[in-house]
Amino acid sequence: MSEEIKNLDAPIAEEQVTKTKVKGKKGKRVVNAGQIHIQATFNNTIITITDKNGGALSASSAGANGFRGSKKGTAYAAQIAAEKALETAKREHGLNSVDVYVSGIGLGRDSAIRAVSSVGIRIDSITDVTPIAHGGVRPKGERKP
């Protein structure tokens, strides 16, 4: 046991010490084509810009742009939110063309799509992915005659 303690006091050889490499900051990735996901509810509009695999590049919402209360659900608030998110994606990632996926039935659906073309980004396709209600599952309990 005393030999182990003596070994701990011995100086450590340089080859035993592993140095960790300091990694530099990763550069911004360049994404030419991406997707825009617009979630338009009655109370807010959320715009998320992603690459083709779904990795988020930028996002914005009407609430994040200073709109409060019932003003968040307006078409103008959705337009401002879309322009802000698109400017960020275009400047930082070089976004050129997008596929648009719209979900929800809020007032900001159309104005957010119009904002995409006004920024100068080409729209390849527009898809409505709003879920459709089907009446739900069968309630538990016995069936009534």
Side-chain angles (χ1 to χ4, degrees), residues 6-33:
K6 287 180 186 176
N7 287 343
L8 291 176
D9 293 336
I12 300 173
E14 263 189 58
E15 62 234 9
Q16 292 177 344
V17 178
T18 58
K19 294 183 181 180
T20 58
K21 294 182 180 179
V22 179
K23 293 184 178 179
K25 187 175 178 183
K26 290 184 180 179
K28 295 283 183 181
R29 53 192 171 132
V30 177
V31 179
N32 292 328

Side-chain angles (χ1 to χ4, degrees), residues 93-130:
H93 301 284
L95 193 67
N96 293 333
S97 65
V98 292
D99 297 322
V100 180
Y101 296 93
V102 184
S103 175
I105 53 175
L107 298 174
R109 290 170 59 102
D110 299 331
S111 61
I113 295 171
R114 285 192 185 97
V116 175
S117 58
S118 70
V119 171
I121 295 177
R122 186 171 50 102
I123 298 175
D124 293 334
S125 68
I126 299 173
T127 307
D128 189 2
V129 292
T130 305

Side-chain angles (χ1 to χ4, degrees), residues 2 23 44 53 63 65 85 127 130 137 140 144:
S2 61
K23 293 184 178 179
N44 203 356
N53 296 326
N65 286 298
T127 307
T130 305
V137 296
K140 68 179 188 176
K144 309 273 188 301

